[in-house]
Structures are given as C-alpha cells and as structure tokens.
Amino acid sequence: MLKKYYLSALALPLVLSSTWLQAEPDEQQWQTYNTAALEQQILPGYQALETHLDTLHERLETYCSGQVDSSRLSEVHQAYRESMDAWQAIQHVQFGPVSLFMRNYALHYWPDKRGTGARQVRSALNQTETEYDAEYFREASVSLQGFPAMERVLFAPEAKSLLMPGQNYCRFAEGLSQHMLTTANEINQEWQEEQKQQMLQPESSQYFASHKSAAVPLMKSLVEPLLVIEDYKLDYVLGDNPEEARWKRSESWRSGQTLSNLQINLRSLQQLYSGLEPVNIKTLLAAEGEEDFAEKIDRQFDHLQKQLAAMSPPDRPQLDQKLDRQLRDLETGISDLYEQLELAMGVLNIQLGFNSRDGD
C-alpha cells in the first residue's frame, strides 16, 4: 500500500518564509525551464536508451551467431547493464510517448509480486517451435517484453550453459532485444517529431494551455518517482522488520544493479531540480525568496547520494544488519525529500493533481 502524505496549505507558512505568497514564476520562466528539461535531459535520455539497446542487440547477435565465448558473454552483460543504466536515467518520465500502448510497462514490468514473469519466461523458453519475432512480442504479455525478462535470461544461473547459438535462450534474447530497441526507437522518434513541439508550443497544443501547464508533467516527474522509490524499490524489499526483508525482491538483483539504479534515479531527479541551465526549480524557488529552503532540498539530494555511496550489495540473498539499517535510513530520507518537494510545489503554485499510482 502506497504511503500518502497530505500537506495542508495552512502549514506552509510555518515551514517557509512569508515571501512564498509573492508572484509565482511567469510564462517565460516556465518556457525556459521546459526547454532546458527537454534539451538537457529528456531528449538525450531517450537517445541514450536507444543507442545502448542497439549495442545490446548487436552484441547478442554476435554472441549467438558464433562460437561460445565467455568474453563475449561478458560484453553482452555489460551492454545490458549500460542499457538498464540508460533506462533508470529516464524512468521517472512517465508521460508522453512512453505511456502510450503500455510501453513503460513493456520496457519494465516490475515489481512482479505474483511471479508472473518467471512463469511466463520459463514457458516461452520451452516453446522450441516458436519464432520470437516482432509479431510474437507485440502479442506477448508485458512481463515478457522488457528488462526483467532479459535480465532473467542473461543472468540466470543456467544462462552460461543454455545461452547457446541456435538454442531457445539465444533466439528469445535476440528477438527480445530487437523488440526493446524498436520500442525505444519509437519513443525517441515521437519525442523528436511531436511531443517536443507539444511541450514547447502549448499555444498550438491540444494537451497544454500554457507553458506552466506544460511544466506540470515535468514536476510530477520530479516528485512522484520518490514514492515509487520508497514504496517499491525500498519498502517492498525491506518489509516491516529485518526478518521480512528479501533482497531477491529488489530491482535488478540478478545483474547487481539495485543500488546503482537508486543512485541514477536520484541523480536524474536532482538534475530536474537543480542541474538544468539557465533555469531550474532551485533557481525558481530562490526567485520567490526561498533561497534557504531551495538549498535545503539540494543538500538532501546530496545527503541521500552519500548514504548510497556508503552501501555495498549483499553477497547472499539475505540483507545483513548494516545494509538493512542503511536502507531503512535511506527510506526515511526519501520520505523527507518527497515532503520537501511537495512544499516546493506549493511555493511555485503547481497543482500536481491525480497521482496515477494512488491505490497501487
């Protein structure tokens, strides 16, 4: 059950200075911010995802078409990890082309609390007569279409013996990598050709009435992913006490990327907050007279990254006491950051509206 935080507007002046009621950012400021977010994060982010998935597909084709070579399998593993890194850097953007046709879930159906993906991957790999082509993956369940399915095939204990030229593991992985690459290409092209114009020219858009309204999905992309991190990437793994903690519930545990995923997520969110030039949320808050509050949020991002840098993944399925405590402290810090950013939205007079993850 997702945790909900309800912050009363009456409480804001107790936290912030009285200047927060002054004029909010104007249309020019929001236009500049939107342009920076598009050009410095979203467009290069989706381009990077497509590029890395292209490399993964090429390396799988090379590996699966020749003699079995452990060094080439290592290259496939590295290409997968770099592709996942690219996805984690843009995963927080849950609007626009990625949300059409369930592409977001097709790329990353997780968490899979009922183990659907595991069962369906096993079943798919037993279908020796199946062609794992574009039509197959278009019709397949989302649990067969993205990163978790690929990770299960590439990093399973039996992968080294079963990922062989002409065999099902190779044929499935090649087909899946092509499907993921096609999906990333479609998202990238639609951002370049249509969604970019919708964001930058709201006066001619059917979705946005102003530059401020075009900024709202960007603000949701900054704030709401913290709930995802807290509830799925941390609380789902940790449970209510150390006895309930299960590392194998964590995102990307097979490929060893659980902690690095969190670092990349927070780095991308901090870029949206304070890393864009020449205008970002930190500078907009400062322009409203909230320099100290704006700096406090930035320091919280830095603090969370330092906490993550001090952690090491476990070498067995169970979490040791130290890592368990570190992750629970991180969860508390994520919750604090979420509340601070909710307050920041009040300062900027941004109404985030319906949270698509409410009730999950």
Side-chain angles (χ1 to χ4, degrees):
M1 178 69 67
L2 286 178
K3 301 177 180 63
K4 311 293 195 300
Y5 304 97
Y6 299 97
L7 300 173
S8 170
L10 296 175
L12 285 170
L14 300 178
V15 180
L16 308 173
S17 75
S18 61
T19 58
W20 79 280
L21 290 172
Q22 68 187 51
E24 64 186 74
D26 60 28
E27 278 290 281
Q28 180 61 53
Q29 289 172 304
W30 283 123
Q31 181 182 26
T32 304
Y33 177 83
N34 295 347
T35 301
L38 281 165
E39 295 181 350
Q40 296 169 39
Q41 184 177 93
I42 294 178
L43 298 181
Y46 281 120
Q47 180 60 61
L49 178 63
E50 181 181 350
T51 298
H52 286 295
L53 284 172
D54 186 44
T55 299
L56 174 61
H57 181 60
E58 289 180 357
R59 290 186 180 175
L60 270 168
E61 283 191 318
T62 299
Y63 176 83
C64 289
S65 64
Q67 297 293 322
V68 174
D69 185 334
S70 60
S71 66
R72 285 186 174 174
L73 181 56
S74 295
E75 291 176 355
V76 170
H77 283 172
Q78 183 61 25
Y80 171 87
R81 290 188 175 101
E82 291 173 356
S83 297
M84 176 56 100
D85 287 348
W87 168 244
Q88 293 294 326
I90 201 67
Q91 185 185 40
H92 58 291
V93 177
Q94 291 289 312
F95 71 95
V98 74
S99 66
L100 298 177
F101 313 115
M102 297 182 68
R103 287 167 173 156
N104 46 358
Y105 293 104
L107 281 171
H108 197 76
Y109 177 66
W110 183 89
D112 180 8
K113 296 182 179 181
R114 297 180 180 178
T116 304
R119 293 192 298 271
Q120 291 189 346
V121 169
R122 284 195 297 269
S123 176
L125 292 173
N126 286 329
Q127 298 169 12
T128 56
E129 303 300 320
T130 299
E131 289 294 328
Y132 302 112
D133 54 15
E135 182 179 0
Y136 173 86
F137 284 103
R138 278 197 303 268
E139 300 296 326
S141 163
V142 291
S143 61
L144 287 175
Q145 294 186 39
F147 281 101
M150 181 67 80
E151 183 190 35
R152 187 176 293 276
V153 171
L154 295 183
F155 293 90
E158 67 272 18
K160 288 185 179 180
S161 59
L162 295 180
L163 198 65
M164 308 283 281
Q167 300 302 309
N168 272 17
Y169 268 59
C170 260
R171 294 194 305 109
F172 181 87
E174 284 184 275
L176 176 54
S177 66
Q178 179 61 69
H179 176 72
M180 294 170 70
L181 173 58
T182 299
T183 301
N185 173 262
E186 290 171 351
I187 295 169
N188 188 28
Q189 289 301 311
E190 288 172 27
W191 265 104
Q192 296 283 352
E193 295 171 1
E194 180 180 357
Q195 188 69 32
K196 177 181 177 181
Q197 181 179 359
Q198 296 278 352
M199 293 286 294
L200 297 184
Q201 299 178 351
E203 65 277 2
S204 60
S205 167
Q206 59 179 316
Y207 301 110
F208 306 115
S210 64
H211 292 292
K212 178 184 175 181
S213 65
V216 171
L218 294 172
M219 297 301 94
K220 291 170 74 75
S221 298
L222 169 62
V223 180
E224 290 182 1
L226 292 168
L227 288 179
V228 177
I229 293 172
E230 182 183 353
D231 289 285
Y232 295 154
K233 300 194 180 192
L234 292 172
D235 191 64
Y236 175 60
V237 177
L238 296 171
D240 292 332
N241 54 65
E243 289 70 33
E244 295 182 3
R246 298 291 185 273
W247 187 248
K248 285 188 176 181
R249 290 178 180 171
S250 70
E251 185 185 46
S252 303
W253 66 271
R254 290 181 178 83
S255 60
Q257 292 173 275
T258 297
L259 297 178
S260 65
N261 286 355
L262 293 169
Q263 290 176 309
I264 293 169
N265 294 157
L266 289 172
R267 189 182 308 136
S268 296
L269 297 182
Q270 189 170 15
Q271 183 189 23
L272 270 185
Y273 175 73
S274 63
L276 303 176
E277 297 293 344
V279 172
N280 53 61
I281 301 307
K282 184 178 179 180
T283 61
L284 291 177
L285 288 171
E288 297 299 300
E290 293 298 341
E291 295 93 340
D292 291 344
F293 179 55
E295 183 60 36
K296 178 183 178 182
I297 294 174
D298 217 19
R299 287 198 304 268
Q300 181 68 358
F301 272 113
D302 292 338
H303 176 66
L304 294 172
Q305 289 287 16
K306 288 179 181 178
Q307 286 182 286
L308 278 164
M311 299 180 198
S312 299
D315 54 9
R316 54 195 179 90
Q318 291 74 33
L319 280 72
D320 57 42
Q321 291 183 350
K322 179 181 179 181
L323 181 58
D324 184 88
R325 184 178 63 255
Q326 289 173 320
L327 288 172
R328 292 181 195 278
D329 288 344
L330 181 73
E331 186 178 13
T332 299
I334 294 289
S335 176
D336 291 343
L337 179 58
Y338 174 81
E339 292 190 26
Q340 291 169 13
L341 286 172
E342 282 255 290
L343 289 171
M345 295 300 102
V347 174
L348 301 176
N349 196 23
I350 290 290
Q351 304 296 320
L352 296 182
F354 175 70
N355 180 352
S356 61
R357 294 183 180 272
D358 280 354
D360 287 0

